Structures are given as C-alpha cells and as structure tokens.
Amino acid sequence: VNGDYSTAIGHEAHYSQNGTSGLVANTGVGYRAGYHNTSGIKNTYIGYHSGFGASGNANGSNTGVGYRSLFAVTTGGSNTALGESAGSSITTASGSVIIGMDTGNTITTGNMNIAIGHDAMSGGTVTGDNNIAIGRSSGDALTSGKENVFIGGNAGGAVTTTTRLVYIGHEAGAANANGLGNTGVGWKALKQYDLEHTNTAIGAEAMSGAGASNSCVAIGNETLAGSTTSDADGTVAIGFKAAKAITSGI
C-alpha cells in the first residue's frame, strides 16, 4: 500500500493502491476491502469485499460499510452505501446514498439516487438519475426512469422507465408501470393505474381502481376509486368516497 494517511486492516485490504505522496487517505477494513482501487483517494470501505472493484480502476470519496457494499465500483465516486450488499452493482454511478440490506443493489450507472429500506431500488438495472425510493421494496422495478419520488412500502413498485412520478404511502402507485407525471399521496393511492398521466390523488385508496383516466384530481379517502375510462378524463372529485363508482364520467 502506497499513499499518505491511508489505513488498511485485513487480508489484502487496498491491495492495489499505488498512490504516491500527498493526501490519499483511504481506509480499508476487512478481507479485500478496496482491493482493486489503484490511485483513488478518500475512500472508506469496511467489510468483506466492500469496494472490491475491478482491475485497474480508481474511484474516490466513496463510503461503503457492510458485506459486499459497493462491491463492483469502478470509477464511481461520492457514493455512500451502508448495509449488506448495499449498492453492490454500482460501477460508474456517483453521488448516491444507499442504506439498508440489499438496497440499491441493482443500481449500475444511475447517478444521484437515494434508496433507503430493505430491497428498495433493487429489482431492475437502474441507469436513471435523481430518483428517491424510501421504504421496503419501493421503486424496486426501476430501470431508466428518472426524477421520481417513492416513499412507503412498495411505493412505485412497478415503475420502470417513466419519469416525474410522486407516490407517497404504502403501495401508492404500486402497479403503475407506465404513467407519467402522476402524484399519489395516501395508502394505496393510484395503486392500479398504469398508462395514465398527470393525475393527482390524495387520500387512502384515492384513484386506487384499475382506471384509465388522465388529468384527474381526487381528494379524499376512496375518492374516484372505481374503474374509470378515458371518458372520465379531467374529472375533479373532492370528499370521502366522492365519485367512487364513476366510470365514464358522461
């Protein structure tokens, strides 16, 4: 190990480090922690194969704590991954925060993502940027989708490539794979909607049915919760169970 202010504890920790003089300041604790990192600086890898990397690559300012955290990192930097296998598939992604067991472990090149909770953002190969998934299995099908916010268990759990979605609440938007620009806040809000766009649903089970309407506003528990068609586009329903059974809106 070459490089000032570095610490390596464990079998072949920071084995490939070849920095010269000056501030290097890498810390590796555990079996082959930071093993392949060459000239990267200011990394902290703690745990078996944490920050293991790939031959000949350098990365900097990463923090990986836990078994195989940031395992595949190549040139990605400024990532924080805490938990067993957290961020284990990240290669070139930078600026992400990943907390939890198996969390964000299918993120590869997506940047500036936040994933917190067991299995959050851990289903599809994540290449999209600026997503937030907080809660068990939230956003766990995400691939190239970007600028989405999912908060709650399985919130946005079917979203893959779409953008600018906000789903807050347990299973909010859980079956909505393709909708664009929707906002669902509340338990199972917008759960069943799929291809529909620019809907706003606030309240438990608001617009939770297998609807096909766009640009609707539903405020209140079970509001506009039926199986609507495109004839109900633009409907506004406010109040407990308001327009719950409406279908066509005509």
Side-chain angles (χ1 to χ4, degrees):
V1 174
N2 298 303
D4 295 345
Y5 310 109
S6 292
T7 301
I9 301 173
H11 180 73
E12 295 183 334
H14 282 299
Y15 177 83
S16 303
Q17 182 172 306
N18 59 16
T20 54
S21 61
L23 181 65
V24 177
N26 287 313
T27 299
V29 180
Y31 179 83
R32 291 187 171 177
Y35 181 84
H36 282 298
N37 187 38
T38 56
S39 58
I41 64 174
K42 295 185 287 186
N43 294 293
T44 299
Y45 295 126
I46 300 174
Y48 174 93
H49 276 175
S50 176
F52 182 77
S55 180
N57 284 280
N59 50 78
S61 301
N62 290 307
T63 299
V65 179
Y67 170 88
R68 290 173 62 91
S69 56
L70 294 175
F71 172 79
V73 65
T74 55
T75 58
S78 302
N79 297 294
T80 299
L82 309 178
E84 179 180 327
S85 297
S88 60
S89 296
I90 283 179
T91 54
T92 63
S94 296
S96 292
V97 176
I98 302 162
I99 301 174
M101 178 181 176
D102 291 330
T103 302
N105 68 6
T106 56
I107 300 172
T108 56
T109 60
N111 301 296
M112 308 297 177
N113 291 300
I114 297 173
I116 300 174
H118 178 65
D119 203 38
M121 218 180 290
S122 291
T125 300
V126 181
T127 59
D129 302 334
N130 298 301
N131 295 291
I132 297 173
I134 300 175
R136 189 182 190 280
S137 299
S138 57
D140 64 349
L142 197 65
T143 56
S144 61
K146 60 183 181 180
E147 299 166 5
N148 297 296
V149 177
F150 308 129
I151 300 176
N154 201 34
V159 175
T160 55
T161 62
T162 46
T163 64
R164 299 189 300 279
L165 299 167
V166 177
Y167 293 137
I168 300 175
H170 182 74
E171 293 196 346
N176 189 318
N178 301 296
L180 176 66
N182 292 311
T183 299
V185 180
W187 183 71
K188 295 188 178 181
L190 277 170
K191 178 180 179 180
Q192 300 291 340
Y193 273 62
D194 185 13
L195 296 169
E196 294 66 44
H197 307 308
T198 58
N199 292 296
T200 300
I202 300 174
E205 294 188 282
M207 296 188 74
S208 59
S213 303
N214 302 286
S215 304
C216 295
V217 176
I219 300 175
N221 287 10
E222 297 184 48
T223 302
L224 205 60
S227 298
T228 59
T229 68
S230 60
D231 290 328
D233 286 359
T235 297
V236 177
I238 300 175
F240 177 67
K241 294 187 178 181
K244 178 180 179 180
I246 196 172
T247 55
S248 68
I250 296 175

